[in-house]
Amino acid sequence: MTSGPAAPILKSGHLLGIEGLSPGEITALLDLAESYVVQGRALDKKSALLKGRTLINLFYEASTRTQSSFELAAKRLGADVMTMAVKGSSVAKGETLIDTASTLNAMRPDMLVVRHQDAGAAELLSRKLDCSVINAGDGAHEHPTQALLDALTIRRRLGGFEGRIVAICGDILHSRVARSNLRLLAMMGARVRLVAPKTLLPAEADRFGAEIRTDMREGLRQADIVMMLRLQLERMTGAFIPSAREYFHFWGLDREKLAYARPGALVMHPGPMNRGVEIASDIADDVEVSLIAEQVEMGVATRMAVLDALSRGSAP
């Protein structure tokens, strides 16, 4: 007797952001990702779940972790993967996003993973293409799979989210990771703090439903998770900090500041890290404290779960 097709777990045929997902959908994705953690640690890591399907990676911004993670996730599920080199494509000759979408749609992919410097780009593509679109980061808007993999990492270590204090520290203003994590963690019952100098907090920060702290030590007080963010200098126009050295003095995570967190607090970072700017190397490399390598592993499992879920179609 053979089992039927797996039941859909997402209401949408796309993953454009954490906004719009329900707690049930998030839990289902994390549960599915758990099975892919096991598969990723097995000797035989591949399956034929997506055999015959095609995934296109379309990255307008440089990426190492996210792009390679999606590529590995798709290949482990048996899909064919094409990574489009934007710099060597017609995009570099002035082709618009709409024209690129039309070209890619004619190739009949099953899934498209897109990272773009403009907020809303993934949503635009989802309306122009006939395949599932996954947002791998759009401007300073959202990065849903990063938030999901962070949530998986936290859940595996802490057992859940309810009442846990997560301090998200650093360049909140320009961070899509902060926005997606805030939405997800708050939805799942965590207490979220945004910790940053006033120059790196959004003007509407108080509407996010998070606690706001402009003093690093106060922000870390009794935190279970300290999530550091890099300074996104490529998005900055103007002077947001006096200098990198002064920023580290006041806002960089070192042992003295970490001591304000709860005993046994764990440290996360989505990467890439600016060592000595937002985080000290001895903390980043401390396997008793740092979850950074674990986040990378959870990233592959989480993206396998997302691809699996989208391949099932949307729930009625």
Side-chain angles (χ1 to χ4, degrees):
M1 180 177 178
T2 59
S3 59
I9 62 176
L10 295 175
K11 294 191 294 289
S12 172
H14 309 286
L15 181 63
L16 304 179
I18 296 301
E19 188 175 25
L21 292 182
S22 68
E25 288 174 296
I26 290 169
T27 299
L29 283 172
L30 298 184
D31 290 345
L32 185 56
E34 289 281 6
S35 68
Y36 286 119
V37 175
V38 175
Q39 182 173 322
R41 293 177 177 180
L43 186 61
D44 183 1
K45 296 175 173 56
K46 296 194 71 174
S47 73
L49 181 72
L50 298 184
K51 184 178 180 181
R53 308 281 186 101
T54 300
L55 178 142
I56 295 178
N57 271 330
L58 178 63
F59 279 64
Y60 285 79
E61 292 182 324
S63 170
T64 300
R65 291 159 186 77
T66 304
Q67 182 175 309
S68 58
S69 182
F70 268 113
E71 184 170 343
L72 188 57
K75 287 181 176 179
R76 284 185 178 176
L77 293 174
D80 297 314
V81 181
M82 184 188 87
T83 296
M84 183 173 168
V86 171
K87 288 185 178 180
S89 72
S90 296
V91 173
K93 301 175 184 178
E95 183 173 85
T96 68
L97 183 61
I98 298 297
D99 288 336
T100 300
S102 178
T103 299
L104 295 177
N105 202 45
M107 297 178 185
R108 299 191 177 277
D110 299 285
M111 298 179 185
L112 176 79
V113 180
V114 59
R115 170 171 287 188
H116 199 278
Q117 64 271 18
D118 294 333
E123 183 180 3
L124 176 63
L125 288 174
S126 73
R127 290 191 261 113
K128 299 295 182 180
L129 274 72
D130 299 322
C131 65
S132 293
V133 174
I134 303 165
N135 183 3
D138 60 332
H141 178 227
E142 280 237 36
H143 192 350
T145 58
Q146 181 67 48
L148 287 164
L149 76 88
D150 289 342
L152 180 63
T153 307
I154 292 170
R155 194 178 77 164
R156 286 173 62 86
R157 284 301 190 104
L158 301 184
F161 308 98
E162 193 68 38
R164 297 292 189 174
I165 299 176
V166 180
I168 304 178
C169 311
D171 187 359
I172 308 293
L173 179 62
H174 302 99
S175 177
R176 53 198 174 207
V177 173
R179 285 167 173 78
S180 288
N181 264 295
L182 172 55
R183 288 187 173 108
L184 188 154
L185 293 168
M187 192 188 313
M188 302 305 286
R191 287 176 56 191
V192 182
R193 288 184 192 148
L194 301 181
V195 186
K198 290 180 180 179
T199 54
L200 293 177
L201 283 170
E204 71 281 10
D206 57 346
R207 296 196 294 106
F208 287 2
E211 302 170 18
I212 307 298
R213 298 287 186 274
T214 54
D215 180 273
M216 185 71 165
R217 291 163 183 81
E218 282 300 312
L220 297 190
R221 196 174 296 278
Q222 293 300 300
D224 298 284
I225 296 288
V226 180
M227 185 180 297
M228 300 305 300
L229 303 172
R230 74 179 179 89
L231 287 172
Q232 301 203 22
L233 299 175
E234 72 278 11
R235 300 189 192 281
M236 294 183 185
T237 54
F240 288 85
I241 60 170
S243 68
R245 182 176 180 180
E246 187 167 344
Y247 181 84
F248 182 74
H249 176 74
F250 288 104
W251 298 97
L253 186 64
D254 53 24
R255 295 287 178 179
E256 186 270 333
K257 297 186 191 75
L258 184 59
Y260 283 80
R262 192 181 300 276
L266 298 166
V267 175
M268 303 177 73
H269 195 304
M273 289 182 289
N274 294 312
R275 293 171 181 263
V277 178
E278 74 267 3
I279 190 169
S281 287
D282 67 303
I283 293 178
D285 298 332
D286 185 346
V287 295
E288 298 297 321
V289 172
S290 173
L291 298 179
I292 295 170
E294 190 170 333
Q295 287 175 269
V296 176
E297 181 187 5
M298 295 305 111
V300 178
T302 298
R303 285 158 183 141
M304 290 174 76
V306 168
L307 298 180
D308 179 343
L310 289 174
S311 74
R312 303 180 187 192
S314 53

